[in-house]
Amino acid sequence: MGESFDTVTKCISFTLNEQFEEKFVDPGNHNSGIDLLRTYLWRCQFLLPFVSLGLMCFGALIGLCACICRSLYPTIATGILHLLAGLCTLGSVSCYVAGIELLHQKLELPENVSCEFGWSFCLACVSAPLQFMASALFIWAAHTNRKEYTLMKAYRVA
């Protein structure tokens, strides 16, 4: 361990380019080789929330079209997109926790620094089940309305 890790105890923000830099086997030592697992875990935990957000926005657009067209199939698609968004959020949280654990195996924390998950991590942990519940509700609503729609169509014919 280098002394620079022991003396720096303040938070530093990273630029977008620094988010995608390769992580090294021995943190801070550029000659130790690239740690591919930590590198790709870090990249995934950075990119997956944006994928989740995109899926949610696309799902909202399809849901709006479903309301305008009064069709059931876009509702199922919206449910599936919410399910995929929940999986992306869950994957992002998992990648973050795994990356932090791998980093803590390489480095010891300074004495006056505590390692706790913050409020944003808790929100991410809560949002994944909420996305799964929204997905289940959309798919259930489409399935339930399809049965009622079929019964209404049968009554009209009779």
Side-chain angles (χ1 to χ4, degrees), residues 70-125:
R70 296 180 184 240
S71 176
L72 301 174
Y73 295 109
T75 308
I76 295 171
T78 301
I80 292 170
L81 288 173
H82 276 72
L83 177 69
L84 293 174
L87 288 173
C88 287
T89 302
L90 189 62
S92 178
V93 168
S94 300
C95 288
Y96 175 74
V97 170
I100 292 297
E101 288 300 317
L102 287 172
L103 182 63
H104 287 183
Q105 289 175 1
K106 306 272 184 195
L107 297 174
E108 290 183 25
L109 288 175
E111 291 177 17
N112 57 350
V113 174
S114 65
C115 179
E116 299 173 358
F117 293 117
W119 60 269
S120 58
F121 178 81
C122 295
L123 283 177
C125 288

Side-chain angles (χ1 to χ4, degrees), residues 5-158:
F5 291 113
D6 294 334
T7 57
V8 176
T9 58
K10 63 179 179 175
C11 292
I12 300 171
S13 63
F14 292 107
T15 64
L16 187 60
N17 288 336
E18 290 172 335
Q19 293 289 339
F20 294 101
E21 286 182 354
E22 296 169 333
K23 310 296 181 216
F24 297 99
V25 173
D26 185 21
N29 183 1
H30 297 281
N31 296 324
S32 63
I34 298 170
D35 189 351
L36 290 177
L37 181 60
R38 280 189 37 240
T39 298
Y40 287 108
L41 281 173
W42 189 264
R43 290 176 182 174
C44 284
Q45 68 99 17
F46 186 78
L47 291 175
L48 283 175
F50 291 112
V51 174
S52 177
L53 180 64
L55 288 169
M56 293 288 290
C57 290
F58 190 56
L61 184 65
I62 290 177
L64 183 64
C65 292
C67 290
I68 293 170
C69 299
R70 296 180 184 240
S71 176
L72 301 174
Y73 295 109
T75 308
I76 295 171
T78 301
I80 292 170
L81 288 173
H82 276 72
L83 177 69
L84 293 174
L87 288 173
C88 287
T89 302
L90 189 62
S92 178
V93 168
S94 300
C95 288
Y96 175 74
V97 170
I100 292 297
E101 288 300 317
L102 287 172
L103 182 63
H104 287 183
Q105 289 175 1
K106 306 272 184 195
L107 297 174
E108 290 183 25
L109 288 175
E111 291 177 17
N112 57 350
V113 174
S114 65
C115 179
E116 299 173 358
F117 293 117
W119 60 269
S120 58
F121 178 81
C122 295
L123 283 177
C125 288
V126 168
S127 71
L130 290 175
Q131 288 170 327
F132 291 140
M133 286 190 288
S135 170
L137 286 173
F138 273 112
I139 293 171
W140 174 77
H143 181 69
T144 303
N145 285 338
R146 184 181 318 148
K147 286 181 182 177
E148 291 176 9
Y149 182 75
T150 306
L151 288 174
M152 287 173 41
K153 198 173 184 182
Y155 286 128
R156 285 187 189 165
V157 171

